[in-house]
Amino acid sequence: MAAPASDGPRVRVAAVILVGDKLLLVRQRAGGEPYYLLPGGGVDRGETLEQALRREVREETGLECRVGEPVIINDTIAPGGERHLVNITFHAEVIGDTLLAHPVDRTVEGIELIEPSTLEGLDLRPPISSAVLASIESGFKTPARYLGPLWTEE
């Protein structure tokens, strides 16, 4: 007999995408302050991780991507336990379309291409800047790393 459904952790996928030598980020805002995410979002029931990531990248940036290997895995767990995300971050490559001038996704304030060396100075959520940089520097050749639970206070 199958276990009953529960309100367990939500799965979020994200992509480390280089456009030329620039890292693709999406900018959002909380409490008046900007913060950054790697493009991605939640996985819907019945959707594979790859399907979800391709859909989310297209919705947020307008780009079509080829999904590569996972590079970073972590949990985001609120201190009170009311929110739990399992984040799986993949390397992905752009294979088509044009970067949107204005995001269609209403939660995205802007799309930015940054020098990877400036990443650690930004409020990246979850706070995985050093792992992202290590993945880029290795040419995405190192195995995926589990970083444990990470939380950013709003």
Side-chain angles (χ1 to χ4, degrees), residues 93-112:
E93 298 176 333
V94 174
I95 58 172
D97 288 328
T98 304
L99 197 58
L100 295 172
H102 303 287
V104 175
D105 185 325
R106 288 179 277 159
T107 66
V108 175
E109 181 179 274
I111 303 164
E112 295 188 22

Side-chain angles (χ1 to χ4, degrees), residues 81-95:
E82 66 276 6
R83 183 173 181 197
H84 182 177
L85 295 174
V86 175
N87 299 293
I88 306 170
T89 303
F90 292 82
H91 171 234
E93 298 176 333
V94 174
I95 58 172

Side-chain angles (χ1 to χ4, degrees), residues 16 23 25 35-38 71-72 74 89 114-137 140 145 147 150 152:
V16 178
L23 177 63
L25 296 176
Y35 66 94
Y36 296 85
L37 300 168
L38 294 168
V71 292
I72 302 163
N74 75 282
T89 303
I114 66 152
E115 293 288 339
S117 62
T118 65
L119 182 60
E120 289 186 314
L122 299 176
D123 180 5
L124 182 67
R125 298 185 185 179
I128 59 172
S129 296
S130 31
V132 169
L133 291 173
S135 293
I136 292 169
E137 288 166 4
F140 304 101
R145 293 177 39 206
L147 302 180
L150 303 170
T152 303

